[in-house]
Amino acid sequence: MNPISETARPGRRRKACAFLFAAVLLPAAASAQVTFVNLYESAAFSGVVLPIPIVLPTSNSIQSLGSFGDRTTSLSWTNLPANVAVEFYENTDGSGARWSIPFDAPRTGSVVTVGPTYNDTFSSYSWHYEVPSQGLLRMWDGASFAGNNRRYALSSYAENSLHVLNGFSDTATSIAWSDLPSNVVVWLYQNSDGTGHEFCITHDAPRTGQVPALAPLDNNVWSSWRWRTVDPAQGRIVLFEDTGFANRRCTRYLSELALDTTHSLGSTALDDQADSVQWDLPSNRTVVLYEDEPLGGRRLALVGSGGWSDLKNGKGGLYHDMFSAFEVLNGSYTNVEADRDAPLDRVCQLASHNAFANLDEGWVYYNHKMSTLKQLDYGARLIDLDVGLQNGTAYLMHGTWSQTLGMRLNQTPPTLASALTDLRNWLLANPTEVVWLQFENNTGSTTVLPQALATASLTGMMFTPTQMRWPSINQLVGMGKRLVVTVDTNAGTLMKDDDWYTLSVYDSYTSTDAESGYDDIDGMQRSIFVMNHIDVNNPPVAWFGVTPNTYSALLSHAAAFGAQRPNYVQYDVHELGGDPGLDVCKLVNAAFWSLARATTARFQAKCDASSPTLKATSRPILGQTLATTSSLGAHIMTFGFYDTTSPLGPLPFAMNGTAGCWCDLRTSLDAVWWSGTSAWSLAIPNSPILLGFPVYLQSATFSSSWKLSNGLRAIVGAP
């Protein structure tokens, strides 16, 4: 061949130079396999040609076509190895339109013209192995698998890495997948950083499947994806945006989550948005959902398998659009029980109304079937005893002596002395328990009850308040003061009940009225709240067939008192309907009173969309720092010890233009700070007396007027 004529043919010369260039730069390893894809400047394989070397067994990253960018009209290839795919991209970074030689195309082939859509558009390329038996994901920009498409062989994309849909973002209208390996899960994400709304092909979905037309909320929204092999035996949870397990969802497998670590929902579409939840957990795992980060506010523990389809209206409405974070625990969740290290007015326990009037001890018109001691064994920690005098002896009486005998078929009732001896023996047999003894004193005397307590050797066990805050169960046990005694009238030297706790009315299963006001709490006084789920005109005795003490009825009643929650849930006939009282107390402890750990919770929504959002970024732990952030930057932080009253008046206080503000004030304004940034912090003294102490925060930001944030309640506690 005449070298001069070769030189005169620029296309052939460029091809020869490209071969020489490839030969110099390609790996010299004997195992390397080289083949070429030829790109032509003109249709039908004419004009300038650029051979692209495909070097195996390696795959390559996206490579620029350099000066040959936007010049390809036709192409050919010969002897491509099995399962190798070659991709061409509109832009040098791999974005934009894409054209491919898929893994299942003929291994030798050509394209006379790439067509008007792709003509003169290729600017970069890559090649890789596709192993379809290891899973394939495909997307189309049209419904029913029509239009432009993308294919993603899982074997070519790193497991558990985020892969951006370059050139196909917000485009997918239909999707299909095939041959997904067992327990492989695929997630599609709304945003390129893996945040926002998500779509999940779960481990139990068919391994080959398709969605011909994505739902409106899923259509044209995906920007990234990832895949991972999970272990379903370790459990999963799914949060749903709406009731009935509908609309947007967030799926998490426990096998990919660290234990005892905060997992935020802040980057998902379900942050403060979930209204139903499903879970499937092994016996050694518990998931706890939290209202606020970091792990603060109300909480809900998930154990075993199940689902709540309506958190908006069910569960007393306590969990509507609430969850912001969750934690995976190794073992069962025990904090839903009364926190033994929290003050007594920060836990919920079971109470027995008219505990003495029970079938076991001879009452045929009874309030309970179990004996008083059995009620204590069952879990009651407040027992209600009515005491009267007959011929100088104190008896457990319901009404007059004749009325009492009528309720007992003329059998003499137990004496107060015998009942107190039984209680002392129970306390001695249960040395870690604390009992509240509530007397209805019908003796007309201020001395009968104190003398009976002394005779039963209970006086030394009785707790007498001497401090600003209620001690905890463990503190009372440590002091040897495991009996709290209050009396309704003629208290004498004993504590008068309405000085120390608030009672809801006795005549309703739904009323939120109180017999003594909760608004005038002074330190320990009146800070204990006893919720009476009792109607004397409609008692739930078994033969009446009335069961108002169901779980839903008790929970609804407990949730009806605004921000206040019961410390004791008191009702009749614990035996009806399973264990509703115990279950409600567990829920109230989990959602409100669990103070083993310091907590924060938003207790009031901001006034409108233009108001700042106040969130805690750390918890108020003894000896550490409470930190917050206000979404609109520089702000005034208002601080209060109360959320019921302020110098301006009762809270919430409608500002109505006061100081240029039009929102509701929620704190008692005991202190204010200016913060020139969005961040604010407060050092918490390392003083145990602050355990369980609440403070209330609200930030104020000025734009055209002052706007107040949501309220933030912080309760000081342990880590």
Side-chain angles (χ1 to χ4, degrees), residues 436-498:
W436 192 303
L437 179 56
Q438 173 183 284
F439 282 119
E440 181 178 316
N441 185 6
N442 297 314
T443 66
S445 168
T446 60
T447 60
V448 168
L449 298 181
Q451 290 173 356
L453 290 163
T455 300
S457 299
L458 285 171
T459 304
M461 292 186 179
M462 290 166 49
F463 170 72
T464 301
T466 57
Q467 59 192 79
M468 290 179 61
R469 301 289 300 168
W470 281 98
S472 68
I473 295 173
N474 281 342
Q475 288 171 330
L476 289 167
V477 170
M479 291 186 289
K481 303 295 183 181
R482 297 188 294 115
L483 181 64
V484 181
V485 180
T486 56
V487 186
D488 66 338
T489 187
N490 293 318
T493 59
L494 301 177
M495 297 163 57
K496 191 171 185 301
D497 55 13
D498 58 10

Side-chain angles (χ1 to χ4, degrees), residues 504-579:
S504 64
V505 295
Y506 269 99
D507 59 356
S508 174
Y509 295 121
T510 58
S511 174
T512 58
D513 294 333
E515 291 194 336
S516 51
Y518 185 78
D519 293 337
D520 57 354
I521 293 174
D522 179 14
M524 290 173 61
Q525 291 190 313
R526 289 172 292 279
S527 65
I528 297 289
F529 176 44
V530 180
M531 185 192 85
N532 286 310
H533 192 73
I534 298 160
D535 186 347
V536 295
N537 298 313
N538 189 23
V541 290
W543 56 80
F544 285 178
V546 179
T547 56
N549 52 340
T550 61
Y551 176 84
S552 59
L554 284 167
L555 181 60
S556 178
H557 199 183
F561 291 88
Q564 177 60 9
R565 292 293 181 263
N567 300 113
Y568 291 95
V569 173
Q570 180 164 244
Y571 65 99
D572 292 313
V573 197
H574 298 314
E575 299 87 350
L576 294 180
D579 303 319

Side-chain angles (χ1 to χ4, degrees), residues 366-378:
Y366 56 83
N367 293 85
H368 302 274
K369 293 182 178 180
M370 297 182 289
S371 69
T372 303
L373 296 185
K374 287 181 181 178
Q375 291 170 54
L376 290 169
D377 289 338
Y378 175 73

Side-chain angles (χ1 to χ4, degrees), residues 87-156:
E87 309 274 353
F88 295 93
Y89 309 99
E90 180 180 7
N91 302 314
T92 55
D93 63 354
S95 63
R98 189 192 71 160
W99 191 93
S100 65
I101 305 172
F103 77 96
D104 53 357
R107 299 295 81 190
T108 295
S110 61
V111 177
V112 174
T113 176
V114 293
T117 300
Y118 299 101
N119 189 44
D120 293 341
T121 62
F122 301 162
S123 295
S124 57
Y125 70 98
S126 68
W127 74 86
H128 53 264
Y129 279 106
E130 289 188 354
V131 184
S133 61
Q134 295 182 16
L136 186 67
L137 175 67
R138 299 190 68 179
M139 305 181 195
W140 289 262
D141 62 8
S144 300
F145 320 112
N148 296 317
N149 70 91
R150 292 289 188 271
R151 58 192 304 134
Y152 304 93
L154 272 58
S155 60
S156 301

Side-chain angles (χ1 to χ4, degrees), residues 356 361 363 372-373 376 383 385 387 393-397 408 412-426 437 439 452-453 455-456 458:
F356 66 95
E361 294 179 278
W363 295 79
T372 303
L373 296 185
L376 290 169
I383 56 174
L385 303 182
V387 181
T393 300
Y395 290 94
L396 301 183
M397 294 170 52
R408 294 180 53 81
T412 301
T415 63
L416 174 61
S418 64
L420 293 180
T421 298
D422 288 344
L423 175 60
R424 181 178 184 276
N425 291 336
W426 189 91
L437 179 56
F439 282 119
L453 290 163
T455 300
L458 285 171

